[in-house]
Amino acid sequence: MSVVPSTRPRVALTDEAKAELKALLGDRFSTAAAVREHHGKDESYHPNFPPDGVAFAASTEEVSAIVKICAKHTLPIVPFGTGTSLEGGVAALAGGICIDVSGMKDILRVSPEDLDVTVQAGVTRKQLNEHLRDTGLFFPIDPGADASLGGMASTRASGTNAVRYGTMRENVLGLTVVLADGRIIKTGGRARKSAAGYDLTRLFVGAEGTLGIITEVTLRLYGIPEAISAAVCPFKDIRGAVDTVIQTIQTGIPVARIELLDEVQMDAVNKYSKLDYAVAPTLFFEFHGTAAGVQEQAEMVAAIAAENGGTEFAWATRPEDRSKLWQARHDGYYAALALRPGSKGWPTDVCVPISRLADCILETKQDIAESYLLAPLVGHVGDGNFHLVYVVDPDKPEELAEAKRLNDRMVDRALAMGGTCTGEHGIGYGKMEFLEKEAGEAFAVMGELKRAFDPHNLMNPGKVVRI
């Protein structure tokens, strides 16, 4: 397992800094070992790098005050939402203070007429949609985990609905951000378009806390569709499934979700979620619209699937059946780990142009077939994004080395096909070397931006760019 250390020297948490944080937060500042350990690791295979202290913030103003104390004592700052990231983004590589915003759970404003909402960064997607239930609106971005919306913005998250509704990049209208010196700025706004100045909103969306801490998010909302229907369709081989995806997208059918699970993942899902689907490459679909529109979409996709070796669709139209289906899909990571009890997951993802998706997946599957590692494949394939979970024993260096070899080949393959090293997991420190390869000279420009916003390298140091 390779570890990318922070290039920033570690600064000790002094008694003076502790006293100032205690005076500000009282019991909401902790240096307890268990609390620090919890905040030093995400859900990935990356090792735990605990911070020196954890500050639980309740407002933008408190985040600003914490940052000012950290800046005064040159302490590194790592933001934390729910800890569900996958590339080591919350690891405190240089120690310092973790600012936990999970308690910032206020929904500040809902404007049904304008289809937008403003929330504090700790609000989760499920909490927001529960709050919106009686308005006829919903927020569609669904990365699987019940992640915080601030974290989702910070990592430019997407998920199963992205093929229809886009990613966080398209759905964040504005932000409140605390900068490295404690200043509070607002970016963007509620207007549906603006030609005013630099687009700072898009700069912070996906910056992973390296330029500032997102404390409030204004989001685009959508009307709950009149009709929703989901279906499962197994295929004779994975090429047939992928070709169905490509033809569906190229035909312009507005599917809401189109997910691929290979035969290994389907076996895992069946065992973990107690289902009985065919153990074969399988597509999960969801269609949104009017009753007539959903029926038309479904019939068109079914015809495309049949031409590519798909068998009969299994439909889920009742809400409880759809929930069970998509919960099984979202539990795919844990289902994969359950195939080998005691193992850890090395999750990874790439994204390629839709026309190269079949080639990229088939070549990746061939690599896995020639390896001894278990690596189920799933994908939000409607936008060219797919994921692997290398199921490994972290105490066996040879398995970690083999996972790295396979992962390097997959990422290099995606880049050669005009794709990206990550469609939605982000960079953290786990994929920094690939970002440098992908971005070329632009990687140095990213570093220059980082220095401009954060000259002392306090904000989540050691992530995304090297300083």
Side-chain angles (χ1 to χ4, degrees):
M1 183 187 309
S2 62
V3 174
V4 180
S6 171
T7 54
R8 189 189 191 286
R10 193 176 187 112
V11 175
L13 176 60
T14 63
D15 289 341
E16 182 184 355
K18 279 187 196 177
E20 291 179 26
L21 289 165
K22 273 287 188 185
L24 175 67
L25 300 169
D27 291 342
R28 289 185 290 118
F29 177 68
S30 176
T31 56
V35 175
R36 294 189 298 108
E37 290 286 326
H38 172 71
H39 287 80
K41 191 178 186 335
D42 57 20
E43 292 197 0
S44 72
Y45 71 97
H46 296 291
N48 196 319
F49 286 89
D52 297 317
V54 179
F56 294 88
S59 67
T60 296
E61 290 71 26
E62 275 195 350
V63 172
S64 173
I66 296 165
V67 169
K68 287 177 180 177
I69 293 171
C70 291
K72 174 183 173 183
H73 297 278
T74 63
L75 292 168
I77 303 161
V78 181
F80 187 99
T82 58
T84 54
S85 59
L86 293 169
E87 290 295 348
V90 301
L93 300 177
I97 301 301
C98 170
I99 300 181
D100 185 320
V101 300
S102 62
M104 295 174 59
K105 287 188 170 295
D106 288 345
I107 296 171
L108 302 172
R109 177 194 55 80
V110 179
S111 297
E113 300 87 353
D114 296 313
L115 299 176
D116 64 31
V117 62
T118 299
V119 301
Q120 286 188 310
V123 173
T124 67
R125 63 176 185 86
K126 287 184 180 179
Q127 177 193 348
L128 176 58
N129 280 325
E130 182 66 27
H131 184 85
L132 293 171
R133 177 182 293 179
D134 295 333
T135 68
L137 303 174
F138 80 121
F139 181 68
I141 309 306
D142 180 2
D146 189 23
S148 68
L149 292 164
M152 288 171 61
S154 190
T155 56
R156 203 182 299 130
S158 54
T160 56
N161 277 324
V163 64
R164 174 76 175 258
Y165 298 100
T167 71
M168 288 299 283
R169 180 182 63 189
E170 290 79 35
N171 287 282
V172 174
L173 298 173
L175 299 169
T176 300
V177 180
V178 176
L179 300 179
D181 59 4
R183 280 182 297 163
I184 299 169
I185 65 169
K186 292 186 180 292
T187 73
R190 296 177 57 208
R192 285 304 166 120
K193 63 180 182 179
S194 172
Y198 297 139
D199 191 348
L200 294 179
T201 302
R202 298 296 173 272
L203 189 59
F204 287 105
V205 172
E208 302 185 33
T210 61
L211 303 180
I213 299 177
I214 294 171
T215 60
E216 294 176 9
V217 190
T218 297
L219 299 164
R220 190 186 304 268
L221 301 177
Y222 297 81
I224 296 174
E226 173 189 325
I228 302 175
S229 186
V232 175
C233 181
F235 286 79
K236 296 176 182 176
D237 55 52
I238 203 159
R239 178 172 282 280
V242 176
D243 285 346
T244 296
V245 173
I246 294 171
Q247 291 167 27
T248 297
I249 299 303
Q250 291 176 341
T251 305
I253 301 170
V255 289
R257 309 195 212 202
I258 183 166
E259 297 284 298
L260 171 68
L261 292 79
D262 74 355
E263 66 284 357
V264 182
Q265 186 67 66
M266 286 304 299
D267 181 46
V269 163
N270 280 342
K271 291 173 178 174
Y272 187 82
S273 299
K274 297 178 173 55
L275 302 173
D276 60 355
Y277 292 121
V279 179
T282 300
L283 291 178
F284 286 16
F285 297 94
E286 189 165 278
F287 306 96
H288 293 180
T290 64
V294 164
Q295 182 177 350
E296 181 183 24
Q297 293 170 39
E299 289 173 352
M300 293 172 69
V301 172
I304 293 171
E307 292 176 358
N308 288 293
T311 58
E312 186 174 353
F313 273 41
W315 291 97
T317 54
R318 296 186 306 169
E320 57 268 32
D321 294 334
R322 292 199 311 273
S323 294
K324 185 177 181 181
L325 171 68
W326 291 112
Q327 189 60 52
R329 164 62 186 90
H330 289 322
D331 287 341
Y333 176 70
Y334 306 106
L337 297 186
L339 290 173
R340 186 183 177 187
S343 64
K344 296 292 185 183
W346 178 325
T348 185
D349 79 315
V350 293
C351 189
V352 295
I354 194 79
S355 62
R356 302 305 309 274
L357 182 62
D359 292 337
C360 196
I361 287 178
L362 289 169
E363 290 177 27
T364 299
K365 287 279 289 179
Q366 183 61 37
D367 271 2
I368 297 168
E370 294 171 359
S371 173
Y372 62 87
L373 284 188
L374 182 66
L377 183 149
V378 300
H380 315 313
V381 285
D383 50 18
N385 182 206
F386 69 92
H387 307 247
L388 290 178
V389 178
Y390 303 109
V391 182
V392 297
D393 181 343
D395 295 324
K396 293 185 176 179
E398 66 274 17
E399 291 193 13
L400 296 171
E402 175 67 357
K404 183 180 187 307
R405 183 186 72 84
L406 292 172
N407 190 55
D408 288 356
R409 283 178 57 82
M410 182 180 72
V411 174
D412 286 343
R413 180 180 300 120
L415 295 181
M417 292 180 176
T420 177
C421 65
T422 176
E424 61 183 18
H425 288 183
I427 298 298
Y429 72 89
K431 281 193 169 177
M432 200 184 304
E433 63 179 295
F434 299 122
L435 176 61
E436 189 169 8
K437 185 181 295 186
E438 177 179 332
E441 191 61 32
F443 188 74
V445 176
M446 294 180 196
E448 291 168 11
L449 279 169
K450 164 72 170 170
R451 291 185 185 93
F453 277 86
D454 181 18
H456 301 295
N457 195 19
L458 298 178
M459 306 301 274
N460 212 4
K463 317 293 173 53
V464 184
V465 294
R466 291 190 179 90
I467 300 296

